[in-house]
Amino acid sequence: MNNCAKYFLLLSLYLLFASMSMPGFAQANLEVNTPAITSIKQRMQSRHAELVEYYNSGAIGLTQDGMITVRDANAVSLAKRQQVNSLVSAENQDRNALYREIARANNHPEWESKIRSTFGQRWINLARNGWWYQSGGRWVQK
Amino acid sequence: MFCLLTLPASTAFSGFALLLDGIRHPVFQAQSIQVRLGDGHPGAGQLEIVIAEIKVRDYVWKDVQLSCAVFQYKSTVIECEDGYVKIPELVSFPVSLHFYSDTQTIKIKSNLTKNESWTLTLQWKGQSWQGDVTIRNVSLDSIAEWLPDLEQMPKLRSGRVNGTVLFSGSETDLKSAVMDLSIEALSFSDQAGLRAGENIQIAIKAGLDRSKHSNQLYWHSEIFWQQGEVFWQPIYMAAANHHLSMRGVFDGEAMHLLDGSLMFAELGTFQFSGVFDISSKRLRVFELKANKIQLSTLYEQVLQPFLRDTTFAEIEFTGHADWTVRLRDDAVQSIQLDLDDVSIVDARNRFAFYRINARIPWLHEGATIVDLRVQNGHVLKVPLGTVRVPLELNQFNVFLPQLALPVLDGLLKLENFSAGYTEKGWRWKFNGGLSPVSMEALTDALQVQRMHGTLSGYIPEVRYDGTNVSVNGVLQLKVFDGSVVIHNLKLIEPMGLAPHLKADAAMRNLDLELLTGTFSFGKMEGRVDIDVRNLELANWMPVHFDAHLFSSSGNYSRRISQAAIENISALGGEGAVAAIQRSILRFFEEFRYAEIGWRCKLRLNICYMGGIESEPLSRYTLVKGGGVPAITVMGYNRVVGWQELITRLLRITSENEPIIQ
C-alpha cells in the first residue's frame, strides 16, 4: 500500500471513530458514502500524491478551516508556482464539495461548517512531521 | 552665506576650508556644505567635501562625502583622482573626476570593481549642453538601494546593466536622448514569492527629441524580453522573444501614446494607443486592438489562472479571436469581439461547443445585436446541433426572444431567454418546449439503458440564480405512451463538482410492454403509474427517493410472461414464488394478473421495499393474480442495498435471462 493510500485509510478510520464521539452533532456520520462523495474522495486521493511534495517542502500548509493554502511560494520554482496554485485551488474546491456533500448526505446541510472544522482538525492531526499548519493565525511546523 | 576659513598661502596648498550654508536649485537643495583642501601628494592636494543634507524631490541623503586623495588644480584642468563618494547606509563608490575649463567638459568615472564601471561625460557651450553615460557591467544591487522600500513592491535581488545613454539639452530643458541598454541576470521577488522574476535578460532601446517649434517631446522605445521567467500571481510567463514597442508625444499636460505594440510569441500581437492626462491621472482615451489571438495560449497563460474557481477552470480552447476595446475617461465605451472557428471543450466532459463563429459588439450605452453561430456541441452529454443565436446585448443584459436549438432529432425551443450580470454573477431564465426527441437517440447519447418512444414536453419558466437552476411550474413530458409531470425540479450547482437534482415526478399510464421491452425484463402487458417523491440525485445517481409503482386504473390487458415473473421474484428475494406455483411456471408462458405494485424508499444506499399494499408483515405482494392462469408473486426482502438491487437489475437486463433463486 502506498503512502497516499495509507494516509486516506488512516483518515477514514479516524473519521469513523470521530463520528461516534462528536459533541453537538453526535449522530453525524462522517463516513457516509454517496456517489458524489466517492468521486470527490477519489479525486482527492489521486491529487494527494502530487501535493505531498509541496507539503514536505513547506510550500503549502493546512489551514484551520479544513482547507490548504500556499504558505511559501519561494519553496517552488517559478515555473511550478502556477501549478501549485492550480492544485491548491482544485483541492479546496473538492474539500468544500466534500464537506457540503457529507452534510447533505446526513440530511443536515446546516452541519457543513461543523463538519469542515472537524475535518480541519483531523487533517492537522494526521499531517506528517515537518508539514505546516495554521494555528491561531500563525504557521506552525509539525 | 559662506565663510572662507583659511586662504592658500602659495600654489602648493597648505590649507583651505569653505563653509556654505546652503544651495537651492529647482531640482535639489543642499545644506551645510564643508569644503576642505589640504596637503596631499607632491604637487597635489587633498580635497574633502561633506554635505550635511542633500534633498532631491522626496529623497534625502545625509552626510554625503566626496573625497579626493589626489586633487590638482591647473590652468585648464581640475583633477580628482583616487576619489570616493560615500552616502552613509546607502552607497559608496570610488570615483575620478576631471574638469576641463577650455572645453567646458567634466568627466566622472567610477570603477566600482574590476569589471564594473560607469563613466559620465558632460560638455556645455553657452546655454547648450550634451553628454553621455557609459555603463559597463554595473550591478543593480546598488541601484536597488536607491529604490523606495515598499512592502507591496517586489525587491530587486540581482542584475547587471550594460549600455550607453546619450543626451543633450539647453538651459534646464532636455532636447534629445538616446538609450541603448541591456539588463542581464535580473531577479526580483516579493517576500511571499508571489511576484517574482528570475534570470531575466532584456534589451531596451529608447529615444526622445524635443520639437524645435513647440514644447513637445517625441519619444519612442523598444523592449525585447530575451531570457528568463516571471511569475506575477497568478500568471507565469517565460521569455520567448516577447517584444514591446511604443511611440508617443509628451506635451507637458498629457502623454500621448501614438502607437504601441505588444507581441507575445505564440499568442499574438496587441496594438494600443491613447492619451493619459498627467494632472488628473486619467486615461482620456485608450484603444486596444488584438488580431488573430490564439485562444489556446490566451486561456492557458492568462485566463485559466483567473477562472480556477469557475465552471471554466478546465477547458480546452482552440481558434482565434480579434477584439477592439475603446475607453474614454477611464471607462470602457465599446468592445468588438470576433470569434473565428473557436471550440470550447470542458475537460470534465460536461459541455462542448464546436466551431463557434461570432461577431459580438458591446456598447457602454445602447443595445447591440450579437451574431453567433455554433456548429455543434453537447451539454451534459446531450448533443446539440447547428444553431445561430441572434442575441440582443444591452450593457450587462442579454435577451433572446426565440431560439430553436436542435437536440438530436428534435428541437428545444427557447423563448424569452434573458440573462443579466449582477454582483453575484450571472442570472438567467427562459421558457420553452421540447418537440419530440427519439428516446433511442437520447438514451444512446446519455449512455444509459436504451429506451424506445419519444420525449416531448412543455418547459415552464426555468431560472438560474447563480448557483441553482429551478423550474417554476411543472415540466410535462410524454414517454412510454404515457405522461410524466415533474414538480419542484431544482438543479443545485449543475456545473459544480457534485451536482444535485431534486424533483417530484408523477408518471401516469405508462405502457408496460414498452417499458419492460426496453429493459429486456420479460414481457408484461398493462399500464402502470409511478410516483417518485423527494427524488434526489447526487452526481446524477439517486441517493434519496420514495417511489411507488402501481397498476393504472382502467381496462386494459394484464398479462405477465414467465420470464418477467422469474425476474420480479429474483428482485423480491428468495422464495418470492410459492413452490406450488413454481411448478406451474413450467406449463404456461403467460399469466394473468389483477394488480402489480412495488415500493422503494431509498435512504443512505438502502432500498426499503414494499409491494401493492403497505403491509406491516415481513412479506409483501408484488403481483396479485387474477384470471386464468393466475399467479401471485410475493417479496420477502424488505431491505436491499441499492447497489445490490442495481446489480441484479443489470444482470437481468444484460443477460436477458431470468434469475432463479
Side-chain angles (χ1 to χ4, degrees), chain A residues 29 32-36 39-40 43 70 72-74 78-79 81-82 85-86 89-90 93-94 97 100-101 104-105 107, chain B residues 189 191-194 196-198 229 231 233-236 305 308-309 492-493 497-498 500 538-539 541 543 604-605:
Chain A
N29 177 6
V32 65
N33 230 342
T34 67
S39 89
I40 293 167
R43 279 200 303 270
V70 176
D72 181 12
N74 291 303
L78 286 190
R81 283 179 204 182
Q82 203 172 41
N85 272 340
S86 296
S89 177
Q93 281 187 47
D94 272 335
R100 198 161 49 240
E101 287 308 302
R104 278 177 181 159
N107 226 10
Chain B
S189 178
Q191 201 171 359
L194 299 177
E198 286 176 4
E229 52 187 346
F231 178 74
Q233 173 88 324
I235 292 172
Y236 169 81
R308 278 202 192 102
D309 298 328
I492 301 166
E493 300 172 28
L497 295 173
H500 277 243
N539 244 13
M541 303 285 279
V543 291
L604 289 178
N605 297 317

Side-chain angles (χ1 to χ4, degrees), chain B residues 416-655:
Chain B
N416 300 316
F417 174 87
S418 64
Y421 188 75
T422 66
E423 288 176 355
K424 293 178 181 175
W426 283 97
R427 306 274 189 275
W428 51 255
K429 62 177 183 177
F430 69 89
N431 59 322
L434 185 67
S435 65
V437 171
S438 127
M439 286 298 290
E440 287 96 330
L442 183 63
T443 48
D444 284 353
L446 295 174
Q447 294 170 352
V448 294
Q449 173 64 48
R450 196 166 207 208
M451 299 184 202
H452 303 280
T454 58
L455 179 71
S456 63
Y458 166 72
I459 303 170
E461 187 184 82
V462 179
R463 191 180 280 270
Y464 177 66
D465 65 5
T467 311
N468 306 325
V469 177
S470 53
V471 177
N472 297 335
V474 296
L475 193 67
Q476 296 173 14
L477 305 171
K478 290 190 182 303
V479 66
F480 296 122
D481 199 33
S483 65
V484 179
V485 176
I486 299 172
H487 304 258
N488 305 321
L489 179 61
K490 193 171 184 180
L491 270 168
I492 301 166
E493 300 172 28
M495 294 292 170
L497 295 173
H500 277 243
L501 181 147
K502 290 185 174 184
D504 296 320
M507 302 169 217
R508 293 290 175 266
N509 227 25
L510 305 185
D511 187 330
L512 257 181
E513 195 171 355
L514 284 175
L515 191 66
T516 51
T518 293
F519 293 103
S520 307
F521 191 79
K523 189 179 173 186
M524 290 176 78
E525 284 179 21
R527 296 265 170 183
V528 288
D529 294 355
I530 305 172
D531 284 334
V532 183
R533 295 204 172 91
N534 307 312
L535 171 68
E536 183 171 356
L537 308 182
N539 244 13
W540 314 114
M541 303 285 279
V543 291
H544 189 281
F545 62 72
D546 299 301
H548 181 202
L549 178 149
F550 52 99
S551 293
S552 307
S553 57
N555 291 322
Y556 47 82
S557 169
R558 300 177 190 221
R559 291 168 186 273
I560 185 166
S561 69
Q562 188 192 82
I565 288 169
E566 294 285 7
N567 287 332
I568 290 174
S569 63
L571 291 176
E574 196 172 353
V577 183
I580 192 163
Q581 292 178 320
R582 186 179 292 276
S583 60
I584 297 173
L585 276 175
R586 297 175 197 149
F587 300 108
F588 299 99
E589 278 294 318
E590 275 189 352
F591 299 86
R592 292 177 186 274
Y593 68 90
E595 210 175 339
I596 60 172
W598 176 74
R599 293 164 200 265
C600 173
K601 183 186 275 195
L602 182 66
R603 299 288 185 276
L604 289 178
N605 297 317
I606 301 292
C607 174
Y608 298 92
M609 293 208 291
I612 295 167
E613 306 289 342
S614 300
E615 299 115 310
L617 301 171
S618 59
R619 63 179 193 173
Y620 49 90
T621 311
L622 289 165
V623 180
K624 187 190 280 182
V628 179
I631 194 161
T632 295
V633 182
M634 306 298 293
Y636 292 91
N637 283 1
R638 281 273 180 196
V639 179
V640 180
W642 177 248
Q643 279 309 318
E644 168 62 20
L645 194 61
I646 295 296
T647 307
R648 285 187 199 177
L649 266 172
L650 286 175
R651 274 168 53 200
I652 289 167
T653 54
S654 64
E655 293 169 5

Side-chain angles (χ1 to χ4, degrees), chain B residues 6-36:
Chain B
T6 309
L7 289 170
S10 66
T11 52
F13 300 109
S14 60
F16 177 96
L18 188 69
L19 179 61
L20 287 168
D21 265 0
I23 298 173
R24 286 180 181 275
H25 185 271
V27 178
F28 72 92
Q29 292 174 37
Q31 288 183 0
S32 184
I33 305 156
Q34 295 177 43
V35 182
R36 286 198 183 86

Side-chain angles (χ1 to χ4, degrees), chain A:
Chain A
M1 188 183 290
N2 63 31
N3 285 336
C4 181
K6 276 183 194 166
Y7 186 72
F8 270 81
L9 179 65
L10 271 173
L11 179 73
S12 301
L13 290 171
Y14 209 103
L15 291 171
L16 186 64
F17 289 109
S19 65
M20 297 173 184
S21 59
M22 202 180 302
F25 57 131
Q27 286 136 11
N29 177 6
L30 300 187
E31 271 301 286
V32 65
N33 230 342
T34 67
I37 291 170
T38 304
S39 89
I40 293 167
K41 281 181 175 175
Q42 281 170 353
R43 279 200 303 270
M44 289 173 69
Q45 189 164 353
S46 62
R47 188 182 302 112
H48 185 72
E50 288 182 82
L51 287 171
V52 165
E53 172 190 351
Y54 302 116
Y55 285 125
N56 290 341
S57 69
I60 58 175
L62 304 155
T63 66
Q64 277 180 297
D65 61 352
M67 310 299 272
I68 63 171
T69 189
V70 176
R71 190 191 73 86
D72 181 12
N74 291 303
V76 183
S77 69
L78 286 190
K80 282 195 167 178
R81 283 179 204 182
Q82 203 172 41
Q83 185 201 351
V84 172
N85 272 340
S86 296
L87 282 170
V88 168
S89 177
E91 175 71 6
N92 284 339
Q93 281 187 47
D94 272 335
R95 287 182 176 216
N96 271 327
L98 178 69
Y99 307 145
R100 198 161 49 240
E101 287 308 302
I102 290 175
R104 278 177 181 159
N106 275 278
N107 226 10
H108 282 283
E110 73 279 8
W111 284 356
E112 185 184 333
S113 65
K114 279 187 175 179
I115 289 168
R116 170 191 299 278
S117 58
T118 304
F119 265 86
Q121 197 50 51
R122 298 299 185 267
W123 292 120
I124 290 170
N125 290 340
L126 284 170
R128 293 182 199 162
N129 284 339
W131 292 10
W132 291 82
Y133 64 93
Q134 278 183 341
S135 176
R138 290 185 174 184
W139 284 108
V140 180
Q141 191 172 22
K142 194 167 175 183

Side-chain angles (χ1 to χ4, degrees), chain B residues 122-358:
Chain B
L122 186 64
Q123 189 179 36
W124 61 93
K125 190 174 182 181
Q127 293 177 335
S128 299
W129 45 267
Q130 64 180 35
D132 63 75
V133 178
T134 303
I135 302 163
R136 191 169 64 89
N137 229 21
V138 169
S139 166
L140 284 171
D141 299 3
S142 50
I143 295 172
E145 303 285 336
W146 294 64
L147 299 175
D149 188 12
L150 300 174
E151 197 178 327
Q152 67 271 26
M153 287 296 292
K155 280 196 170 62
L156 202 55
R157 298 273 166 87
S158 67
R160 292 189 310 278
V161 187
N162 281 283
T164 55
V165 180
L166 309 176
F167 53 89
S168 68
S170 177
E171 297 186 334
T172 57
D173 291 334
L174 183 67
K175 276 171 62 182
S176 70
V178 178
M179 179 194 290
D180 187 351
L181 296 175
S182 70
I183 299 174
E184 295 166 0
L186 174 69
S187 293
F188 61 85
S189 178
D190 63 4
Q191 201 171 359
L194 299 177
R195 285 168 296 176
E198 286 176 4
N199 198 29
I200 294 166
Q201 181 175 319
I202 51 177
I204 305 167
K205 295 178 189 295
L208 57 85
D209 281 292
R210 186 175 296 277
S211 164
K212 287 177 183 170
H213 307 294
S214 63
N215 199 29
Q216 291 182 325
L217 211 55
Y218 288 82
W219 57 271
H220 64 90
S221 68
E222 284 189 281
I223 300 172
F224 300 86
W225 181 10
Q226 298 160 323
Q227 195 176 304
E229 52 187 346
V230 171
F231 178 74
W232 198 275
Q233 173 88 324
I235 292 172
Y236 169 81
M237 275 201 157
N241 289 321
H242 306 312
H243 173 214
L244 170 69
S245 82
M246 292 186 290
R247 186 175 66 84
V249 183
F250 177 63
D251 63 9
E253 292 179 353
M255 185 68 83
H256 300 254
L257 177 62
L258 300 177
D259 60 68
S261 159
L262 178 61
M263 196 276 286
F264 278 113
E266 298 177 356
L267 181 59
T269 302
F270 301 85
Q271 289 173 313
F272 48 94
S273 60
V275 179
F276 182 74
D277 194 275
I278 302 294
S279 58
S280 65
K281 294 182 180 170
R282 288 174 71 117
L283 265 177
R284 278 190 213 158
V285 289
F286 185 76
E287 183 179 277
L288 171 69
K289 282 186 176 179
N291 294 317
K292 287 276 174 198
I293 299 300
Q294 289 202 33
L295 289 178
S296 56
T297 314
L298 181 73
Y299 175 75
E300 285 165 18
Q301 297 203 349
V302 183
L303 299 178
Q304 190 176 30
F306 293 100
L307 297 171
R308 278 202 192 102
D309 298 328
T310 73
T311 303
F312 301 101
E314 291 176 55
I315 57 173
E316 288 171 18
F317 254 119
T318 55
H320 294 89
D322 300 341
W323 66 79
T324 303
V325 180
R326 292 190 176 91
L327 285 85
R328 182 176 293 281
D329 294 329
D330 286 346
V332 176
Q333 297 298 310
S334 68
I335 298 173
Q336 172 73 46
L337 172 64
D338 295 339
L339 302 179
D340 180 20
D341 241 5
V342 172
S343 293
I344 305 169
V345 180
D346 177 40
R348 294 178 186 163
N349 207 27
R350 293 168 298 182
F351 58 86
F353 303 100
Y354 299 101
R355 303 200 67 179
I356 304 166
N357 284 283

